[in-house]
Amino acid sequence: MAATIIDGKQVSSDIRAEVAQDTARFKEQHGVTPGLAVVLVGEDPASQVYVRNKENACAEVGFNSFKFALPGETGEEELLKLVDELNDRADVHGILVQLPLPEQIDSNKVLYGINPDKDVDGFHPVNVGRLVIGETIFPPCTPAGIMELLKRSGTGFTGANAVIVGRSNIVGKPVALLLLAENCTVTICHSRTKDLPSVTRDADILVAAVGVPKMITGDMVGEGATVIDVGVNRTDEGLVGDVDFAAASEKARAITPVPGGVGPMTIAMLMRNTLRAAELSLPV
Ligand code: NDP
């Protein structure tokens, strides 16, 4: 039977509508408007699009957004100074520094300079630590989006075999921790994994975050699995994921398409994290 297609655009839109409602209530109760500062260094066209999308999403859910566009030759000290100023601003609840940064800037130094309570991307070591010990405040946005897609497509977690292909700090590792927190039995695969197909075939939940077009072939997917394709690969065929969608759909219970699956979720989860940051900023 053909798989159910998990519609990330729809889920993202539902979540943004929920955040908009919660934000309206929050503003009414506390007289505070959540604010997200987005810092862009240089003129990378893709980054400019991402930043514009974030500004639009902020407007949609009722946040203030503050954009700081700095020239490509900006130095590390100057950027760290701006981050410090944003850390101190009461009207800024979330800070996002758009990656990649130019090579003269040490990205980690900048990301670690963000106040962890405003780190809505969830990349600061304090927030990574919170994730590891199961006290997550700001789950990284793409992994959090994957969890929402799984939850809202009726995927069972407890005892499920979850296999993640890819071990990056922004996708593979955090999604593994989130699945573990939901009582899945988690396996993380990478480029040195032996006999990858035999591992992926056992997955009830299969997450592909590799960056290799269509590397998860139909024979690597078990009958009835839920398949989440995080990959975004530009090829001659256009945008394709890490999963051979047509072949995997023959086996899977449910599957995300590319585009229109995980991609739209990231921004929705950023909005949710920013509202959370504003809630946490209230005096106790
Ligand atoms: P990275 O390049 O940081 O990590 C890729 C991972 O895949 C590594 O752990 C690597 O293993 C593993 N890998 C590479 N080749 C193989 C192989 N042949 N077999 C098994 N494992 C392999 O990628 P990211 O996690 O940053 O991104 C993954 C994909 O997700 C990309 O296509 C990216 O564009 C996309 N993405 C999409 C987002 C969205 O919002 N939709 C957000 C972020 C990423 P090793 O560690 O051993 O090298």
Side-chain angles (χ1 to χ4, degrees):
M1 205 174 81
T4 302
I5 294 176
I6 304 173
D7 185 348
K9 271 196 206 157
Q10 184 59 51
V11 177
S12 170
S13 161
D14 293 347
I15 291 175
R16 281 179 281 126
E18 290 162 20
V19 173
Q21 265 184 10
D22 293 345
T23 300
R25 206 172 307 126
F26 177 80
K27 284 173 163 175
E28 204 178 292
Q29 279 175 358
H30 304 287
V32 174
T33 301
L36 176 67
V38 183
V39 181
L40 174 65
V41 184
E43 262 135 48
D44 175 52
S47 293
Q48 285 178 332
V49 173
Y50 296 142
V51 166
R52 200 171 323 122
N53 290 343
K54 284 164 190 167
E55 287 181 293
N56 291 342
C58 282
E60 182 190 338
V61 300
F63 295 173
N64 289 327
S65 68
F66 308 97
K67 178 180 163 187
F68 299 85
L70 307 178
E73 58 277 12
T74 301
E76 192 174 279
E77 283 308 308
E78 196 184 330
L79 183 56
L80 286 169
K81 192 163 159 277
L82 172 62
V83 167
D84 260 348
E85 284 164 18
L86 297 173
N87 282 339
D88 289 340
R89 269 176 62 166
D91 58 346
V92 170
H93 303 98
I95 302 170
L96 185 143
V97 177
Q98 185 65 49
L99 299 177
L101 289 168
E103 57 183 17
Q104 73 275 15
I105 298 175
D106 178 347
S107 302
N108 281 348
K109 215 165 159 186
V110 175
L111 295 180
Y112 301 172
I114 296 172
N115 177 344
D117 295 338
K118 297 190 177 191
D119 168 41
V120 286
D121 252 344
F123 292 155
H124 192 286
V126 167
N127 286 317
V128 176
R130 286 170 174 160
L131 179 67
V132 172
I133 62 173
E135 292 183 9
T136 311
I137 295 179
F138 302 121
C141 299
T142 301
I146 292 168
M147 295 305 289
E148 282 298 328
L149 291 175
L150 288 169
K151 284 179 188 164
R152 293 178 191 226
S153 61
T155 309
F157 288 120
T158 298
N161 274 341
V163 174
I164 298 121
V165 189
R167 56 174 164 181
S168 73
N169 290 333
I170 60 166
V171 188
K173 283 181 201 162
V175 85
L177 289 163
L178 292 171
L179 286 161
L180 186 62
E182 294 289 347
N183 301 315
C184 292
T185 302
V186 178
T187 306
I188 307 177
C189 303
H190 46 78
S191 64
R192 319 287 168 88
T193 297
K194 275 194 280 183
D195 194 5
L196 183 63
S198 75
V199 183
T200 57
R201 265 196 298 270
D202 260 353
D204 302 308
I205 298 170
L206 177 58
V207 179
V210 185
V212 177
K214 297 189 183 182
M215 75 153 283
I216 304 292
T217 49
D219 63 317
M220 294 171 78
V221 177
E223 289 290 341
T226 301
V227 179
I228 303 289
D229 189 351
V230 190
V232 179
N233 307 293
R234 276 165 226 288
T235 69
D236 295 342
E237 288 175 45
L239 212 60
V240 301
D242 290 343
V243 176
D244 181 342
F245 180 83
S249 298
E250 300 285 313
K251 301 282 228 25
R253 175 193 76 89
I255 187 166
T256 58
V258 176
V262 174
M265 295 299 296
T266 304
I267 223 161
M269 305 320 290
L270 175 67
M271 297 300 109
R272 190 190 267 178
N273 278 353
T274 304
L275 176 58
R276 178 117 173 89
E279 288 165 351
L280 292 172
S281 75
L282 296 173
V284 275

